Structure formats: C-alpha cells, structure tokens
Amino acid sequence: MKPNRLHPVLLPLLLSQAVSAGAAEERFAINPSNTLPSFEVNHMGFATQSGHFDKTRGMVVMDPQKRIGTVDISIDAHSINTGIRQLDEVLREMDFLNVGQHPALTFRSTQMKFNGEKLVAVDGIFSMLGVSRPISLKVTHYQCGIDVASSRYVCEVDAEASFKRSDYGMSKLIPMVSDDVKLRIKVNAARDQ
C-alpha cells in the first residue's frame, strides 16, 4: 500500500533542533540502511496486513535557528516487502503500486510545526501513482546525538499518519482490503561532515 505521510519529512525537522545554535544551514543525508517506512491495512475485517519498503533515500537541509528547511524523500516502490513474495508481486502491478510507470513514492516538506522546542509535525506533499496531495506527519519520537558506532552526529525520528489509498487512485479490492492505510516511519539521518 502507499504511505501518505511520508516519514523522511519528520527527520529533517527533528534535526534542526539538534544542530548547534551558532550554525546556519546544515545538511543531513537519510541513511537508507536505518530508515524504514512501513504500512498497515485491514484485510477483510479479520486481519491486519503489514509491510515495509526496503529502499529509501533523501536529503534534509535545515536552518536550526530559523526552524526552516527542506526535506526531500524518495521511496523505491519496487522495494515493497510484506514477507510474502507472491503478495509483493501483486502489489507491484498496475492495480496497486504500478512500479513500471511509477517507480517512486516521494515526499517534499512544506512546513515544520513546533510546540515550543519540540517538533510535533511535518507538513508536505506526498506523491504516489502520479497524484500529489498534502499530508501531515505526526512526530512521536525525536532524538539527536553522536552515534557511538559511527562517531557521526545523527537524528532518529519516528512519525505516523493515515491516508486513503483511493485518494491516489488505488481503489482495487475496496472494501475487502481497506481504503484506510496507516503509515509509520522510522528515519535515521546523519549530518554531512
């Protein structure tokens, strides 16, 4: 299914808080190995089908003092992984992700929202299947600091959102497979050195 409120957006916002006060614009690269967009959708009212995307890339550019910046994220649609190979192949076809014509799901931020010093949401435009719509990602976790393993300054962000897949032209099997999709995303980004 398709994540409507893309996750990478959250990370950049969070990063801005962590950057030193004296810095101006800084760049953070999304770590594709530690960034995981996932989804859940109800199947026939009996079960929840979940899955994730294995390949994500992107960049966040932030001015921490002004609390402004840009987030550009791209998710490889072909990298969908439900743990069921046959289902993955069906979801890549024309009636669902149509990866042949639309190889990526993208998100570009438009605004970061704060409650005091705390990042609480990231608004942006999510594009899937050739349709672009506004979305808002709710930030549920944000932490920045030195990663002991890599000695790099990184930010970790968790975010979530819900959307209707039919809003993006994916209406196959509704209502047997729910129109409502829950998106969760774990983002890891490292500050450029």
Side-chain angles (χ1 to χ4, degrees):
M1 290 24 320
K2 311 135 195 170
N4 178 322
R5 296 159 191 202
L6 269 167
H7 40 306
V9 162
L10 300 180
L11 171 63
L13 302 180
L14 303 179
L15 297 176
S16 66
Q17 291 180 304
V19 179
S20 63
E25 188 177 273
E26 297 205 35
R27 295 169 57 89
F28 291 81
I30 300 294
N31 182 339
S33 299
N34 293 324
T35 295
L36 187 69
S38 63
F39 63 87
E40 293 180 355
V41 63
N42 186 273
H43 181 253
M44 299 183 71
F46 292 105
T48 298
Q49 178 63 56
S50 61
H52 59 269
F53 294 88
D54 292 329
K55 296 180 180 178
T56 303
R57 61 186 173 82
M59 181 65 67
V60 176
V61 179
M62 296 290 304
D63 183 324
Q65 291 183 331
K66 296 179 181 178
R67 292 183 181 171
I68 59 173
T70 59
V71 177
D72 287 296
I73 301 295
S74 180
I75 299 172
D76 181 349
H78 194 271
S79 73
I80 191 168
N81 185 346
T82 64
I84 306 169
R85 187 179 62 181
Q86 295 88 340
L87 178 56
D88 295 343
E89 290 301 325
V90 169
L91 295 176
R92 291 180 183 118
E93 293 176 357
M94 185 182 303
D95 289 330
F96 292 97
L97 290 173
N98 193 4
V99 300
Q101 293 185 33
H102 303 284
L105 314 172
T106 64
F107 175 87
R108 173 169 285 193
S109 65
T110 57
Q111 182 182 16
M112 299 181 290
K113 294 182 178 178
F114 289 82
N115 182 0
E117 296 294 315
K118 181 180 178 184
L119 175 66
V120 295
V122 178
D123 294 347
I125 302 298
F126 178 68
S127 299
M128 179 174 63
L129 294 172
V131 178
S132 297
R133 297 178 63 89
I135 61 167
S136 183
L137 292 172
K138 177 184 177 184
V139 176
T140 59
H141 171 75
Y142 160 60
Q143 183 67 44
C144 297
I146 299 297
D147 175 38
V148 178
S150 67
S151 299
R152 298 190 69 187
Y153 189 85
V154 302
C155 289
E156 290 273 350
V157 178
D158 294 338
E160 60 185 31
S162 295
F163 66 96
K164 292 190 179 296
R165 59 190 180 97
S166 61
D167 287 344
Y168 294 86
M170 186 190 295
S171 58
K172 182 77 171 180
L173 298 181
I174 296 173
M176 287 192 304
V177 176
S178 178
D179 191 14
D180 297 311
V181 178
K182 177 174 274 188
L183 169 70
R184 289 191 175 94
I185 182 158
K186 171 190 177 295
V187 177
N188 174 289
R191 186 167 61 194
D192 281 1
Q193 296 176 323

PDB file of all heavy atoms in Angstrom, residues 2 8 19 24 29 36-37 48 59 85 88 96 113 115-116 134 136 154 166 171 180 183 186 193:
ATOM      1  N   LYS A   2       0.285   2.403   0.092  1.00  0.00           N
ATOM      2  CA  LYS A   2       1.128   3.574  -0.052  1.00  0.00           C
ATOM      3  C   LYS A   2       1.102   4.476   1.155  1.00  0.00           C
ATOM      4  O   LYS A   2       0.050   4.890   1.566  1.00  0.00           O
ATOM      5  CB  LYS A   2       0.675   4.377  -1.230  1.00  0.00           C
ATOM      6  CG  LYS A   2       0.531   3.482  -2.380  1.00  0.00           C
ATOM      7  CD  LYS A   2      -0.707   3.776  -3.067  1.00  0.00           C
ATOM      8  CE  LYS A   2      -1.033   2.658  -3.982  1.00  0.00           C
ATOM      9  NZ  LYS A   2      -2.279   2.692  -4.548  1.00  0.00           N
ATOM     10  N   PRO A   8      10.434  10.495   6.111  1.00  0.00           N
ATOM     11  CA  PRO A   8      11.664  11.257   5.997  1.00  0.00           C
ATOM     12  C   PRO A   8      11.442  12.695   6.339  1.00  0.00           C
ATOM     13  O   PRO A   8      12.358  13.390   6.749  1.00  0.00           O
ATOM     14  CB  PRO A   8      12.027  11.148   4.537  1.00  0.00           C
ATOM     15  CG  PRO A   8      11.277   9.961   4.069  1.00  0.00           C
ATOM     16  CD  PRO A   8      10.073   9.828   4.943  1.00  0.00           C
ATOM     17  N   VAL A  19      20.904  20.792  15.861  1.00  0.00           N
ATOM     18  CA  VAL A  19      22.075  21.481  15.327  1.00  0.00           C
ATOM     19  C   VAL A  19      22.507  22.597  16.276  1.00  0.00           C
ATOM     20  O   VAL A  19      21.694  23.225  16.924  1.00  0.00           O
ATOM     21  CB  VAL A  19      21.752  22.062  13.933  1.00  0.00           C
ATOM     22  CG1 VAL A  19      22.946  22.804  13.388  1.00  0.00           C
ATOM     23  CG2 VAL A  19      21.364  20.932  12.999  1.00  0.00           C
ATOM     24  N   ALA A  24      24.264  27.858  10.760  1.00  0.00           N
ATOM     25  CA  ALA A  24      23.199  28.334   9.885  1.00  0.00           C
ATOM     26  C   ALA A  24      22.608  27.117   9.201  1.00  0.00           C
ATOM     27  O   ALA A  24      22.069  26.246   9.859  1.00  0.00           O
ATOM     28  CB  ALA A  24      23.750  29.340   8.887  1.00  0.00           C
ATOM     29  N   ALA A  29      21.892  13.661   5.478  1.00  0.00           N
ATOM     30  CA  ALA A  29      21.574  12.637   4.485  1.00  0.00           C
ATOM     31  C   ALA A  29      20.803  11.498   5.156  1.00  0.00           C
ATOM     32  O   ALA A  29      21.205  11.004   6.210  1.00  0.00           O
ATOM     33  CB  ALA A  29      22.853  12.093   3.848  1.00  0.00           C
ATOM     34  N   LEU A  36      13.107   3.187   7.689  1.00  0.00           N
ATOM     35  CA  LEU A  36      12.144   2.158   7.318  1.00  0.00           C
ATOM     36  C   LEU A  36      10.713   2.693   7.303  1.00  0.00           C
ATOM     37  O   LEU A  36      10.090   2.865   8.343  1.00  0.00           O
ATOM     38  CB  LEU A  36      12.222   0.977   8.288  1.00  0.00           C
ATOM     39  CG  LEU A  36      11.381  -0.246   7.914  1.00  0.00           C
ATOM     40  CD1 LEU A  36      11.958  -0.929   6.677  1.00  0.00           C
ATOM     41  CD2 LEU A  36      11.314  -1.223   9.078  1.00  0.00           C
ATOM     42  N   PRO A  37      10.158   2.961   6.113  1.00  0.00           N
ATOM     43  CA  PRO A  37       8.737   3.290   6.006  1.00  0.00           C
ATOM     44  C   PRO A  37       7.936   1.992   6.032  1.00  0.00           C
ATOM     45  O   PRO A  37       8.242   1.056   5.303  1.00  0.00           O
ATOM     46  CB  PRO A  37       8.615   3.961   4.639  1.00  0.00           C
ATOM     47  CG  PRO A  37       9.998   4.068   4.082  1.00  0.00           C
ATOM     48  CD  PRO A  37      10.844   3.115   4.839  1.00  0.00           C
ATOM     49  N   THR A  48      -4.808  -7.783   9.926  1.00  0.00           N
ATOM     50  CA  THR A  48      -4.057  -6.601   9.512  1.00  0.00           C
ATOM     51  C   THR A  48      -2.870  -7.053   8.675  1.00  0.00           C
ATOM     52  O   THR A  48      -2.050  -7.865   9.135  1.00  0.00           O
ATOM     53  CB  THR A  48      -3.554  -5.811  10.734  1.00  0.00           C
ATOM     54  OG1 THR A  48      -4.679  -5.369  11.489  1.00  0.00           O
ATOM     55  CG2 THR A  48      -2.719  -4.609  10.287  1.00  0.00           C
ATOM     56  N   MET A  59      17.385  13.798   1.396  1.00  0.00           N
ATOM     57  CA  MET A  59      18.249  14.818   1.985  1.00  0.00           C
ATOM     58  C   MET A  59      17.401  15.828   2.744  1.00  0.00           C
ATOM     59  O   MET A  59      16.285  16.160   2.333  1.00  0.00           O
ATOM     60  CB  MET A  59      19.030  15.541   0.882  1.00  0.00           C
ATOM     61  CG  MET A  59      19.978  16.619   1.366  1.00  0.00           C
ATOM     62  SD  MET A  59      21.341  15.994   2.385  1.00  0.00           S
ATOM     63  CE  MET A  59      22.256  15.040   1.170  1.00  0.00           C
ATOM     64  N   ARG A  85       6.322 -13.249  -0.874  1.00  0.00           N
ATOM     65  CA  ARG A  85       6.814 -12.903  -2.214  1.00  0.00           C
ATOM     66  C   ARG A  85       5.692 -12.734  -3.240  1.00  0.00           C
ATOM     67  O   ARG A  85       5.696 -11.792  -4.028  1.00  0.00           O
ATOM     68  CB  ARG A  85       7.798 -13.961  -2.702  1.00  0.00           C
ATOM     69  CG  ARG A  85       8.492 -13.581  -4.014  1.00  0.00           C
ATOM     70  CD  ARG A  85       9.461 -14.628  -4.459  1.00  0.00           C
ATOM     71  NE  ARG A  85       8.774 -15.892  -4.732  1.00  0.00           N
ATOM     72  CZ  ARG A  85       9.381 -17.002  -5.128  1.00  0.00           C
ATOM     73  NH1 ARG A  85      10.688 -17.036  -5.271  1.00  0.00           N
ATOM     74  NH2 ARG A  85       8.675 -18.096  -5.370  1.00  0.00           N
ATOM     75  N   ASP A  88       3.908  -9.465  -2.712  1.00  0.00           N
ATOM     76  CA  ASP A  88       4.749  -8.349  -3.160  1.00  0.00           C
ATOM     77  C   ASP A  88       4.623  -8.160  -4.667  1.00  0.00           C
ATOM     78  O   ASP A  88       4.526  -7.023  -5.156  1.00  0.00           O
ATOM     79  CB  ASP A  88       6.216  -8.589  -2.799  1.00  0.00           C
ATOM     80  CG  ASP A  88       6.453  -8.615  -1.297  1.00  0.00           C
ATOM     81  OD1 ASP A  88       5.573  -8.144  -0.545  1.00  0.00           O
ATOM     82  OD2 ASP A  88       7.519  -9.103  -0.883  1.00  0.00           O
ATOM     83  N   PHE A  96      -2.135  -1.700  -8.223  1.00  0.00           N
ATOM     84  CA  PHE A  96      -1.672  -1.220  -6.925  1.00  0.00           C
ATOM     85  C   PHE A  96      -0.549  -0.193  -7.116  1.00  0.00           C
ATOM     86  O   PHE A  96      -0.818   0.935  -7.491  1.00  0.00           O
ATOM     87  CB  PHE A  96      -1.274  -2.402  -6.033  1.00  0.00           C
ATOM     88  CG  PHE A  96      -2.461  -3.229  -5.628  1.00  0.00           C
ATOM     89  CD1 PHE A  96      -2.778  -4.387  -6.327  1.00  0.00           C
ATOM     90  CD2 PHE A  96      -3.283  -2.848  -4.585  1.00  0.00           C
ATOM     91  CE1 PHE A  96      -3.890  -5.147  -5.979  1.00  0.00           C
ATOM     92  CE2 PHE A  96      -4.395  -3.583  -4.218  1.00  0.00           C
ATOM     93  CZ  PHE A  96      -4.703  -4.740  -4.917  1.00  0.00           C
ATOM     94  N   LYS A 113       6.240  21.980  12.195  1.00  0.00           N
ATOM     95  CA  LYS A 113       5.433  22.533  13.280  1.00  0.00           C
ATOM     96  C   LYS A 113       6.059  22.172  14.626  1.00  0.00           C
ATOM     97  O   LYS A 113       6.382  21.016  14.872  1.00  0.00           O
ATOM     98  CB  LYS A 113       4.006  22.005  13.202  1.00  0.00           C
ATOM     99  CG  LYS A 113       3.259  22.483  11.973  1.00  0.00           C
ATOM    100  CD  LYS A 113       1.830  21.971  11.967  1.00  0.00           C
ATOM    101  CE  LYS A 113       1.070  22.507  10.758  1.00  0.00           C
ATOM    102  NZ  LYS A 113      -0.321  21.988  10.708  1.00  0.00           N
ATOM    103  N   ASN A 115       5.965  22.759  19.027  1.00  0.00           N
ATOM    104  CA  ASN A 115       5.309  23.172  20.265  1.00  0.00           C
ATOM    105  C   ASN A 115       6.432  23.550  21.204  1.00  0.00           C
ATOM    106  O   ASN A 115       7.049  22.686  21.810  1.00  0.00           O
ATOM    107  CB  ASN A 115       4.456  22.034  20.835  1.00  0.00           C
ATOM    108  CG  ASN A 115       3.731  22.443  22.102  1.00  0.00           C
ATOM    109  OD1 ASN A 115       3.849  23.564  22.572  1.00  0.00           O
ATOM    110  ND2 ASN A 115       2.990  21.510  22.675  1.00  0.00           N
ATOM    111  N   GLY A 116       6.744  24.833  21.280  1.00  0.00           N
ATOM    112  CA  GLY A 116       7.938  25.264  21.993  1.00  0.00           C
ATOM    113  C   GLY A 116       9.163  24.776  21.254  1.00  0.00           C
ATOM    114  O   GLY A 116       9.345  25.039  20.074  1.00  0.00           O
ATOM    115  N   PRO A 134      -1.465  16.977  -0.217  1.00  0.00           N
ATOM    116  CA  PRO A 134      -0.860  17.392   1.054  1.00  0.00           C
ATOM    117  C   PRO A 134      -1.065  16.345   2.138  1.00  0.00           C
ATOM    118  O   PRO A 134      -2.106  15.683   2.185  1.00  0.00           O
ATOM    119  CB  PRO A 134      -1.610  18.687   1.390  1.00  0.00           C
ATOM    120  CG  PRO A 134      -2.893  18.595   0.645  1.00  0.00           C
ATOM    121  CD  PRO A 134      -2.624  17.802  -0.596  1.00  0.00           C
ATOM    122  N   SER A 136       0.220  15.409   6.520  1.00  0.00           N
ATOM    123  CA  SER A 136       0.868  15.877   7.735  1.00  0.00           C
ATOM    124  C   SER A 136       1.314  14.671   8.538  1.00  0.00           C
ATOM    125  O   SER A 136       0.513  13.781   8.836  1.00  0.00           O
ATOM    126  CB  SER A 136      -0.084  16.744   8.571  1.00  0.00           C
ATOM    127  OG  SER A 136       0.592  17.241   9.720  1.00  0.00           O
ATOM    128  N   VAL A 154      23.860  12.078  14.400  1.00  0.00           N
ATOM    129  CA  VAL A 154      22.667  11.574  13.719  1.00  0.00           C
ATOM    130  C   VAL A 154      21.407  11.983  14.460  1.00  0.00           C
ATOM    131  O   VAL A 154      21.438  12.323  15.643  1.00  0.00           O
ATOM    132  CB  VAL A 154      22.701  10.026  13.595  1.00  0.00           C
ATOM    133  CG1 VAL A 154      23.930   9.567  12.848  1.00  0.00           C
ATOM    134  CG2 VAL A 154      22.609   9.374  14.969  1.00  0.00           C
ATOM    135  N   SER A 166      -7.434   5.349  -2.004  1.00  0.00           N
ATOM    136  CA  SER A 166      -8.250   5.748  -3.150  1.00  0.00           C
ATOM    137  C   SER A 166      -7.993   7.198  -3.555  1.00  0.00           C
ATOM    138  O   SER A 166      -8.211   7.574  -4.709  1.00  0.00           O
ATOM    139  CB  SER A 166      -9.738   5.551  -2.847  1.00  0.00           C
ATOM    140  OG  SER A 166     -10.139   6.337  -1.750  1.00  0.00           O
ATOM    141  N   SER A 171      -7.824   1.917  -5.902  1.00  0.00           N
ATOM    142  CA  SER A 171      -9.118   1.507  -5.355  1.00  0.00           C
ATOM    143  C   SER A 171      -9.399   0.009  -5.483  1.00  0.00           C
ATOM    144  O   SER A 171     -10.458  -0.456  -5.068  1.00  0.00           O
ATOM    145  CB  SER A 171     -10.239   2.295  -6.037  1.00  0.00           C
ATOM    146  OG  SER A 171     -10.199   2.099  -7.439  1.00  0.00           O
ATOM    147  N   ASP A 180      -8.336   2.618   4.060  1.00  0.00           N
ATOM    148  CA  ASP A 180      -7.508   3.336   5.038  1.00  0.00           C
ATOM    149  C   ASP A 180      -6.159   2.648   5.233  1.00  0.00           C
ATOM    150  O   ASP A 180      -6.105   1.442   5.503  1.00  0.00           O
ATOM    151  CB  ASP A 180      -8.225   3.435   6.381  1.00  0.00           C
ATOM    152  CG  ASP A 180      -9.514   4.231   6.274  1.00  0.00           C
ATOM    153  OD1 ASP A 180      -9.469   5.332   5.694  1.00  0.00           O
ATOM    154  OD2 ASP A 180     -10.558   3.745   6.761  1.00  0.00           O
ATOM    155  N   LEU A 183       0.408   4.639   8.116  1.00  0.00           N
ATOM    156  CA  LEU A 183       1.832   4.723   7.793  1.00  0.00           C
ATOM    157  C   LEU A 183       2.627   4.993   9.055  1.00  0.00           C
ATOM    158  O   LEU A 183       2.283   5.868   9.841  1.00  0.00           O
ATOM    159  CB  LEU A 183       2.066   5.848   6.782  1.00  0.00           C
ATOM    160  CG  LEU A 183       3.530   6.234   6.554  1.00  0.00           C
ATOM    161  CD1 LEU A 183       4.256   5.123   5.818  1.00  0.00           C
ATOM    162  CD2 LEU A 183       3.634   7.532   5.791  1.00  0.00           C
ATOM    163  N   LYS A 186      10.291   5.137  10.552  1.00  0.00           N
ATOM    164  CA  LYS A 186      11.477   5.336  11.396  1.00  0.00           C
ATOM    165  C   LYS A 186      12.548   5.923  10.487  1.00  0.00           C
ATOM    166  O   LYS A 186      12.916   5.313   9.492  1.00  0.00           O
ATOM    167  CB  LYS A 186      11.939   4.002  11.972  1.00  0.00           C
ATOM    168  CG  LYS A 186      13.281   4.065  12.677  1.00  0.00           C
ATOM    169  CD  LYS A 186      13.769   2.653  12.987  1.00  0.00           C
ATOM    170  CE  LYS A 186      15.139   2.678  13.623  1.00  0.00           C
ATOM    171  NZ  LYS A 186      16.182   3.197  12.739  1.00  0.00           N
ATOM    172  N   GLN A 193      29.546  15.844   6.910  1.00  0.00           N
ATOM    173  CA  GLN A 193      30.774  16.254   7.581  1.00  0.00           C
ATOM    174  C   GLN A 193      31.596  17.176   6.715  1.00  0.00           C
ATOM    175  O   GLN A 193      31.411  17.269   5.537  1.00  0.00           O
ATOM    176  CB  GLN A 193      31.608  15.022   7.953  1.00  0.00           C
ATOM    177  CG  GLN A 193      30.878  14.139   8.954  1.00  0.00           C
ATOM    178  CD  GLN A 193      31.646  12.863   9.274  1.00  0.00           C
ATOM    179  OE1 GLN A 193      32.275  12.267   8.408  1.00  0.00           O
ATOM    180  NE2 GLN A 193      31.580  12.446  10.519  1.00  0.00           N
TER     181      GLN A 193
END
